[in-house]
């Protein structure tokens, strides 16, 4: 009826070894899976943050180019779409400003642009000529009444 003490010790040791082996076989893959999931989410989010920062600093060519069907992909597409729209608007405004500047530059009538308080913001060459101001120093009148 009695078993030797060593048989009980061996059974206990075998049980602990089985538990330890099970923990290692479950913990390592779970940890690896956790790291992979964290990187697959954090990496694209970090990239989106960097692109948004560059875009905010004025780099109008910054694009994320993340193509996926999940929420991060949708956010990336929206950011890229917003970037495209902003770039188009800035390009359009620049073209309009350049076109207006070219028209004013070549007009024979004197044009003076003022702000809401009547201070001179700009004068075309014809206005400079009318007031006897050297075309090389129109800055002398800018900001004056």
């Amino acid at each position: 009826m009695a078993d030797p003490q060593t048989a009980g010790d061996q059974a206990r040791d075998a049980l602990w070894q089985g538990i330890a082996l099970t923990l290692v076989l479950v913990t390592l893959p779970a940890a690896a899976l956790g790291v992979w999931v964290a990187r697959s989410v954090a990496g694209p989010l970090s990239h989106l943050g960097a692109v948004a920062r560059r875009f905010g600093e004025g780099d109008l060519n910054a694009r994320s180019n993340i193509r996926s069907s999940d929420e991060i992909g949708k956010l990336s597409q929206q950011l890229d779409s917003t970037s495209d729209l902003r770039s188009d608007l800035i390009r359009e405004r620049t073209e309009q400003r350049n076109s207006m500047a070219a028209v004013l530059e070549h007009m024979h009538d004197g044009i003076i642009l003022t702000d809401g308080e009547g201070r001179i913001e700009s004068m075309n060459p014809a206005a400079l000529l009318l007031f006897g101001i050297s075309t090389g120093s129109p800055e002398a009148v800018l900001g004056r009444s």
Side-chain angles (χ1 to χ4, degrees):
M1 293 254 112
D3 283 333
Q5 181 69 28
T6 57
D9 291 343
Q10 288 175 348
R12 184 193 65 225
D13 291 344
L15 178 65
W16 281 114
Q17 286 176 354
I19 291 172
L21 182 62
T22 302
L23 283 174
V24 167
L25 292 176
V26 170
T27 304
L28 289 179
L33 180 63
V35 168
W36 178 78
V37 168
R39 284 186 180 177
S40 69
V41 171
L45 286 177
S46 176
H47 177 68
L48 281 176
V51 169
R53 201 170 17 264
R54 284 180 34 218
F55 187 70
E57 292 169 352
D59 180 1
L60 300 179
N61 295 318
R63 299 293 182 276
S64 62
N65 297 318
I66 296 174
R67 301 293 174 239
S68 64
S69 60
D70 60 2
E71 289 78 11
I72 293 174
K74 290 175 185 174
L75 179 61
S76 169
Q77 291 170 2
Q78 187 62 43
L79 179 65
D80 289 349
S81 175
T82 302
S83 298
D84 291 339
L85 180 61
R86 183 175 175 196
S87 294
D88 291 345
L89 287 172
I90 289 173
R91 187 175 17 264
E92 182 180 313
R93 297 294 185 260
T94 300
E95 288 172 2
Q96 289 174 350
R97 186 194 65 209
N98 292 343
S99 176
M100 181 63 73
V103 168
L104 291 175
E105 184 77 22
H106 295 94
M107 284 184 71
H108 295 292
D109 296 323
I111 303 290
I112 300 173
L113 301 175
T114 62
D115 63 13
E117 297 176 5
R119 290 185 300 250
I120 298 173
E121 289 186 344
S122 179
M123 295 176 78
N124 70 345
L128 293 170
L129 184 64
L130 284 172
F131 287 98
I133 300 169
S134 168
T135 56
S137 61
E139 295 81 23
V141 297
L142 297 181
R144 295 181 62 189
S145 169

